[in-house]
Amino acid sequence: RPPRSTPKPSSAASDVYKRQLRGLACGWAHTVFVVDAPPSSLLETPPRALLPRTPPAPGRRAPRAAAFARVAFSRGDVDGVCGQLLGTVLSLVVIQKRTVAVSGLSPAFVSGTLLPGCAVATALGNVCFALMALAVGPNATAQPQGVSAVLLAVILSQVVAPERASRGDAFASYEAALFVASLVGFLELLMAPFVAQLKASVPSAALHASVAGQALVGLTMGFAGDVFAAPADALGPLVVCFCCYGAQVRLPYNAPGGAGALALGALLAAPLGAVFGGDAGGGRAAGPVPWATLAVVSPPSLGGLPHLARAYASRESLKYVPVAIPLALTNVFNTLAQVEAARNVGDAYSPTLSVCCDALATVLGAACGCPFPTQVFVGQPAFKQMGARHGYMLGSGLVALVVG
């Protein structure tokens, strides 16, 4: 019962919270209430008792404080950077190892041209989507974006490997991949003026099904089993993620859950790696530390531009146009699905601008040497739930430039 000193809300404010419950449905992860709608007058003009009370502006310092709060990093951004950190670094490690193995390019060329190009593509896309979040609102969460592992596998299996097998030239396979990646970006730009109409014609449930399918694939891919292949140092961070992100448990000193998981994994991996000789947990093969493979790289440049020009001048590249067209369509529909997922949590992004930003990151990344298209990732609602805004994407882009 409220204390006597508490003023009673106005009748209009009380009516807003009085609803007739019509139905209730409980599921595994959701609860749905069906209630009567409020009177239209209350929806159109909220009562003064419900409006937030703001203190008077303290002179000329208020706009500066508001601007600083708009661009400053939040605690959720730190958590988001920790979540993106391993994904960005492991993506670059996989790109380096798989490209050398499949294409036959030298590790020096991959570290000097290809990886910096991938870093530019990732960082450019991250900055663009961070600025989009700032334009949407101070509390909007940026859409995660980067080089796609799925498109990476398609390019390596459908372009790089056949080209190397048919011509026996590592650089010819690399140039064919650059051609396909850049063509995917150009096709996305051509489709950008029509994506708004395309999104309006696709049912929302279909877009949600696409997001759910991507999430299901991510949960059941091979790396999910790697956690149980090295349980001694992998299960601990997994439990921290479950507790912090699933059960909403706060770590001591209000530390971000992602930072806690990374710190625990590092503390467990160091002594266990020394004891087991790089096979902590009995299941992971010993080998060089992935960080060491990225230690010596070159600064970003337009090193891929000469190879890209040769690819467009060669008629041999035209046979890979049928590969680029479905990849561009897949990327566009994936972006529309992620835009719809963001809209459901309150962040209304422009589908046209989202497609254009992703396409430009792919094209400019190919000019810098990245032979793989970028993609908008699933997970924006999860980053929003942890409190991330735009800063985590800026941090992720910085990590990509430093590491790659």
Side-chain angles (χ1 to χ4, degrees):
R1 189 167 182 174
R4 294 179 180 272
S5 59
T6 303
K8 294 183 179 181
S10 64
S11 59
S14 303
D15 291 341
V16 174
Y17 298 103
K18 292 179 180 179
R19 295 287 180 274
Q20 180 67 35
L21 182 64
R22 297 297 183 183
L24 173 65
C26 299
W28 178 63
H30 300 85
T31 302
V32 179
F33 294 90
V34 180
V35 298
D36 287 338
S40 58
S41 59
L42 294 179
L43 288 177
E44 295 171 358
T45 307
R48 293 181 59 86
L50 297 181
L51 296 178
R53 297 184 179 181
T54 56
R60 300 177 61 183
R61 298 180 60 183
R64 296 182 181 179
F68 176 78
R70 184 180 178 90
V71 300
F73 276 60
S74 65
R75 175 189 176 277
D77 286 327
V78 178
D79 214 353
V81 169
C82 294
Q84 286 284 94
L85 175 62
L86 283 182
T88 301
V89 174
L90 290 180
S91 176
L92 293 175
V93 172
V94 170
I95 287 173
Q96 184 184 44
K97 291 187 174 297
R98 292 294 300 156
T99 304
V100 171
V102 176
S103 68
L105 293 170
S106 65
F109 178 82
V110 172
S111 298
T113 301
L114 192 148
L115 278 184
C118 295
V120 169
T122 301
L124 181 62
N126 290 176
V127 171
C128 288
F129 281 95
L131 294 178
M132 284 178 58
L134 273 174
V136 169
N139 295 321
T141 300
Q143 302 174 87
Q145 186 260 5
V147 177
S148 170
V150 176
L151 300 183
L152 162 70
V154 173
I155 293 293
L156 289 178
S157 62
Q158 301 299 319
V159 178
V160 175
E163 185 69 13
R164 186 189 179 192
S166 62
R167 302 180 63 178
D169 187 354
F171 282 98
S173 63
Y174 170 68
E175 291 169 358
L178 284 178
F179 171 80
V180 172
S182 62
L183 185 58
V184 168
F186 286 130
L187 290 175
E188 288 185 61
L189 289 175
L190 289 177
M191 289 186 285
F194 312 101
V195 294
Q197 293 81 1
L198 185 62
K199 182 177 180 297
S201 63
V202 178
S204 178
L207 296 175
H208 291 160
S210 174
V211 176
Q214 294 179 53
L216 185 61
V217 169
L219 290 173
T220 56
M221 286 180 70
F223 54 76
D226 294 342
V227 174
F228 301 96
D233 60 346
L235 280 180
L238 179 64
V239 171
V240 172
C241 291
F242 282 161
C243 292
C244 294
Y245 300 136
Q248 302 296 317
V249 175
R250 294 284 187 177
L251 294 181
Y253 304 103
N254 206 25
L262 289 178
L264 179 60
L267 289 176
L268 292 175
L272 291 176
V275 172
F276 291 99
D279 192 17
R284 182 176 57 229
V289 180
W291 305 90
T293 63
L294 297 173
V296 181
V297 294
S298 300
S301 64
L302 295 176
L305 201 55
H307 300 280
L308 190 60
R310 281 196 294 270
Y312 273 90
S314 174
R315 292 186 177 181
E316 293 292 328
S317 303
L318 296 178
K319 62 184 178 182
Y320 294 110
V321 172
V323 178
I325 294 176
L327 289 183
L329 290 172
T330 301
N331 242 9
V332 168
F333 276 99
N334 170 76
T335 302
L336 295 182
Q338 308 313 325
V339 169
E340 180 68 14
R343 186 186 67 84
N344 288 336
V345 294
D347 295 340
Y349 289 104
S350 166
T352 303
L353 192 57
S354 298
V355 170
C356 288
C357 287
D358 183 58
L360 288 176
T362 297
V363 172
L364 294 180
C368 293
C370 177
F372 310 112
T374 60
Q375 189 178 61
V376 181
F377 296 148
V378 64
Q380 190 269 354
F383 283 108
K384 190 172 186 66
Q385 185 179 9
M386 69 175 64
R389 300 189 302 178
H390 65 279
Y392 85 100
M393 287 303 288
L394 294 176
S396 176
L398 181 62
V399 168
L401 285 179
V402 171
V403 176

